[in-house]
Amino acid sequence: MEGWDPTTKSTLTQIPLLTTRAGPRDGAAWTQRLKEEYKALIAYTSMNKSKDNDWFRISAANPEGTRWTGKCWYIHNLLKYEFDLQFDIPVTYPATAPELELPQLDGKTHKMYRGGKICLTVHFKPLWAKNCPRFGIAHALCLGLAPWLAAEIPILVDSGMIKHKDDTASSSEDQNQ
Amino acid sequence: MRSRIENLSNLATSVPIHRSKVKDMSAEVVDSNPYSRLMALQRMGIVENYERIRKFSVAIVGIGGVGSVAAEMLTRCGIGRLLLYDYDKVELANMNRLFFRPEQVGMTKTEAAVQTLSDINPDVVFENYTLNITTVQGFETFMSSLKNKSFDPNKEGSGVDLVLSCVDNYEARMVVNQACNELNQTWMESGVSENAVSGHIQLLVPGETACFACAPPLVVASGVDERTLKREGVCAASLPTTMGVVAGLLVQNTLKYLLNFGQVTPYLGYNALKDFFPTMEMKPNPQCSNSACLERQREYMLTKPARDAAAREKMEAEALSATECPIHAENEWNISVVDDSEVSGSDVGSSGVLPEGLTRELPTADVYTDLPASDETSTFDDLEELRKQLEALSS
Ligand SMILES: [Zn+2]
């Protein structure tokens, strides 16, 4: 696990691993996989809460569990910045990871592909490929989204690309002057 | 100043010329014949029957820097039907590449492409699909559009002759691979590296060659150390030159495959920094994680005796003509009936040693032993129960 910070590493090892290799087109096997996804997400969320490091909410947006929506947030200079989070489970899952999207940040950073898909580090895909099918949604959030927020949100805030919600009114007045 | 205004008003009143459709491809060399230089390929003996191109359907997935140029090349060649897939819109950030024009910003890439291409060649039948093939719904539409045979009801197999993958990410390539394995559809992969200085094309015949999931993707080593590559603030770079070269290699291979001339390359890399073109062949992996690939491999093995017989016949015919023709006399030692399993050239198995200049983009999945499904958590083994439990944590 070269290239990962110690916190990410230790958190990752505590998320339960999955065993069923199944994607959304695999019927009953997908239901089994979905159960494992929930278990991993429950364990990860509980762990975050117990460490006072709760940072996302996610739930299936359709009964098949192929589309997920929620929120994620990041604290910078004691202020909380919250964003919508969404992604689809690709038909080739888990061979390929879900592409995590933050639609509100689309066009605000180069570290993003079109449609608000976050640009993952060179370390993510190799690790995902190496661990297929044991990594799931929870692992993607831990390895993909958490480091992305930690790296990009401070830059976006400091450069003025994003404003804190309480700050929006005054700053737009500033711009008008 | 006045002449400038006149010039501008002339431009404004000039009506664009639209050519009408042509019924048959003519070889007549006149200014008004759009196909004369292509039909000349036939006269020169390069291609046996060029006009067959009007029978072919090609699907292009990804209408970006490579796909749009490939589409234009095939359109100008007079391809029968083009199916275009992309979910994206044209942006000003795309203007460093070829094909799209600034006034098309905001249009979907597929619509903008059809607009330009049908102007260039109204004989081509276009189908455009604005969708994301990686989603469950997008994939279903993708599959059914490939299966649709209304263009040529007598065609064997699927409704298209070739699928060209011109997407820019691993996820979408794996989806094209999935569809083509399930449909037993031959396809070609193309790619340009994120640092824009290398690229490759690859032929994939389900069951016969390695599929895209048989082994981690093979890419050209650019010679630039990944660790020294500065990635701050950017996802990927792109050059119209590299993309144009790769699109050219891809369509060249497409024409050779469809019109049956020359050698169709199984893999051709392009290293722009060193002007190096590595090539290789790859056999399917009997342990491939893709079940459709394994099925195609089994089918391919079943037809082996028939293929061997055909190969032997061809070899004998060639040997016969070689003895008749004294020019080929010094080649006689090269003619032998080889077993199908002996492949000349640089063939690597899915785990074999790679030729110089090529590298794997991703590692292979670790081997792990299946944990027996534990029953201790059976109280939480109901999906609805688990969903509620996560919901409760969220409140
Ligand atoms: Zn395979």
Side-chain angles (χ1 to χ4, degrees):
Chain A
M1 278 209 48
E2 206 187 324
W4 300 94
D5 66 283
T7 327
T8 306
K9 268 195 217 177
S10 76
T11 311
L12 182 78
T13 52
Q14 293 171 62
I15 303 174
L17 294 171
L18 292 76
T19 57
T20 308
R21 182 192 290 271
R25 293 167 71 239
D26 294 330
W30 170 242
T31 309
Q32 184 54 39
R33 169 91 192 181
L34 209 48
K35 289 177 192 169
E36 297 176 11
E37 296 284 359
Y38 272 112
K39 286 176 194 171
L41 279 168
I42 289 164
Y44 185 34
T45 310
S46 313
M47 190 196 335
N48 288 339
K49 285 194 160 191
S50 71
K51 288 181 183 167
D52 206 19
N53 182 34
D54 201 18
W55 67 274
F56 71 88
R57 288 284 170 271
I58 196 82
S59 60
N62 59 4
E64 301 80 23
T66 59
R67 183 165 180 79
W68 293 70
T69 55
K71 300 244 179 240
C72 61
W73 55 91
Y74 187 79
I75 313 284
H76 179 59
N77 292 337
L78 304 171
L79 292 172
K80 182 178 171 183
Y81 296 86
E82 192 176 76
F83 311 99
D84 290 342
L85 165 65
Q86 62 187 43
F87 55 90
D88 287 288
I89 302 293
V91 286
T92 43
Y93 189 79
T96 62
E99 297 178 277
L100 309 173
E101 297 166 28
L102 304 176
Q104 290 155 325
L105 296 182
D106 191 11
K108 293 192 188 233
T109 160
H110 287 292
K111 282 293 203 182
M112 200 163 241
Y113 296 105
R114 38 197 197 209
K117 289 175 182 169
I118 65 166
C119 180
L120 297 164
T121 71
V122 287
H123 310 294
F124 179 86
K125 286 186 188 184
L127 196 61
W128 182 276
K130 224 170 143 56
N131 285 282
C132 177
R134 289 170 294 177
F135 281 4
I137 295 168
H139 301 84
L141 294 172
C142 172
L143 286 169
L145 190 55
W148 191 93
L149 291 173
E152 302 307 318
I153 300 309
I155 296 172
L156 284 165
V157 173
D158 296 345
S159 66
M161 281 306 282
I162 53 173
K163 300 253 187 285
H164 190 261
K165 59 183 189 317
D166 301 336
D167 199 30
T168 317
S170 62
S171 63
S172 60
E173 275 165 29
D174 290 347
Q175 280 163 2
N176 289 340
Q177 281 168 3
Chain B
M1 181 70 186
R2 189 177 298 152
S3 69
R4 211 180 121 86
I5 290 168
E6 265 170 31
N7 207 347
L8 282 173
S9 60
N10 280 347
L11 273 177
T13 51
S14 71
V15 183
I17 301 156
H18 292 276
R19 80 160 168 92
S20 51
K21 296 187 182 192
V22 298
K23 197 169 161 284
D24 296 302
M25 277 189 177
S26 155
E28 196 188 0
V29 183
V30 287
D31 291 352
S32 58
N33 179 5
Y35 297 116
S36 62
R37 299 296 161 94
L38 293 167
M39 294 295 280
L41 288 166
Q42 201 170 305
R43 286 193 173 181
M44 289 179 173
I46 301 290
V47 177
E48 204 177 303
N49 179 0
Y50 188 85
E51 203 171 355
R52 276 172 69 207
I53 200 161
R54 302 190 72 166
K55 277 277 193 193
F56 297 126
S57 291
V58 174
I60 304 182
V61 187
I63 312 300
V66 174
S68 63
V69 177
E72 177 171 345
M73 287 175 174
L74 287 169
T75 299
R76 290 183 187 273
C77 285
I79 194 81
R81 183 172 67 131
L82 275 185
L83 296 81
L84 308 174
Y85 305 82
D86 203 300
Y87 66 87
D88 206 11
K89 287 192 167 123
V90 180
E91 288 172 17
L92 273 177
N94 303 141
M95 293 307 140
N96 72 320
R97 298 162 215 175
L98 306 175
F99 190 73
F100 290 116
R101 299 188 306 265
E103 65 267 27
Q104 292 178 318
V105 166
M107 290 177 78
T108 66
K109 285 187 175 172
T110 56
E111 278 169 26
V114 171
Q115 182 187 60
T116 303
L117 298 173
S118 54
D119 254 10
I120 291 171
N121 190 344
D123 298 330
V124 181
V125 174
F126 294 100
E127 284 178 28
N128 57 325
Y129 298 91
T130 304
L131 51 82
N132 179 353
I133 60 162
T134 69
T135 64
V136 176
Q137 212 190 348
F139 186 75
E140 273 168 26
T141 313
F142 179 46
M143 287 285 278
S144 59
S145 67
L146 293 178
K147 283 190 263 190
N148 187 331
K149 290 196 195 187
S150 51
F151 181 70
D152 182 4
N154 300 321
K155 193 187 164 306
E156 277 177 47
S158 80
V160 299
D161 296 278
L162 190 66
V163 174
L164 299 180
S165 169
C166 302
V167 297
D168 62 359
N169 64 87
Y170 174 70
E171 290 75 17
R173 286 185 180 95
M174 285 289 274
V175 172
V176 176
N177 185 62
Q178 182 68 36
C180 291
N181 276 347
E182 287 182 24
L183 296 172
N184 197 11
Q185 174 64 55
T186 296
W187 63 291
M188 287 181 200
E189 206 299 273
S190 69
V192 175
S193 64
E194 290 199 333
N195 62 13
V197 288
S198 66
H200 69 271
I201 62 163
Q202 182 177 356
L203 172 73
L204 296 102
V205 186
E208 188 178 336
T209 70
C211 90
F212 198 71
C214 273
L218 205 58
V219 293
V220 177
S222 64
V224 180
D225 188 344
E226 266 294 321
R227 284 163 299 178
T228 64
L229 198 63
K230 294 178 180 58
R231 289 175 164 273
E232 286 84 41
V234 284
C235 274
S238 69
L239 277 172
T241 47
T242 313
M243 290 184 153
V245 168
V246 170
L249 295 176
L250 180 67
V251 177
Q252 195 79 291
N253 217 35
T254 299
L255 293 174
K256 291 196 285 185
Y257 172 79
L258 293 175
L259 296 172
N260 198 20
F261 67 99
Q263 276 184 329
V264 179
T265 190
Y267 185 101
L268 180 59
Y270 170 52
N271 178 331
L273 298 182
K274 294 180 177 166
D275 287 339
F276 179 49
F277 293 83
T279 173
M280 62 164 309
E281 285 177 52
M282 232 191 333
K283 287 197 176 166
N285 175 3
Q287 268 95 47
C288 181
S289 63
N290 187 291
S291 60
C293 171
L294 297 180
E295 241 172 87
R296 297 291 92 81
Q297 289 187 41
R298 274 194 293 276
E299 288 167 9
Y300 187 72
M301 285 313 288
L302 287 177
T303 57
K304 188 177 187 298
R307 271 198 320 279
D308 286 353
R312 211 170 301 126
E313 216 166 275
K314 195 178 167 217
M315 206 81 76
E316 277 160 14
E318 275 170 13
L320 202 65
S321 66
T323 49
E324 283 165 2
C325 182
I327 299 164
H328 293 143
E330 70 261 35
N331 284 336
E332 69 178 299
W333 302 112
N334 291 337
I335 298 158
S336 60
V337 181
V338 289
D339 185 68
D340 205 23
S341 60
E342 294 175 38
V343 179
S344 59
S346 54
D347 173 83
V348 291
S350 42
S351 57
V353 182
L354 298 177
E356 193 200 335
L358 294 175
T359 180
R360 296 269 177 219
E361 194 178 34
L362 293 169
T364 348
D366 285 346
V367 181
Y368 71 100
T369 39
D370 264 322
L371 300 167
S374 58
D375 283 331
E376 53 180 327
T377 51
S378 58
T379 39
F380 300 124
D381 219 30
D382 178 65
L383 194 61
E384 187 56 22
E385 202 55 47
L386 286 162
R387 197 187 61 76
K388 280 182 188 155
Q389 211 181 329
L390 182 63
E391 201 86 328
L393 275 173
S394 305
S395 54

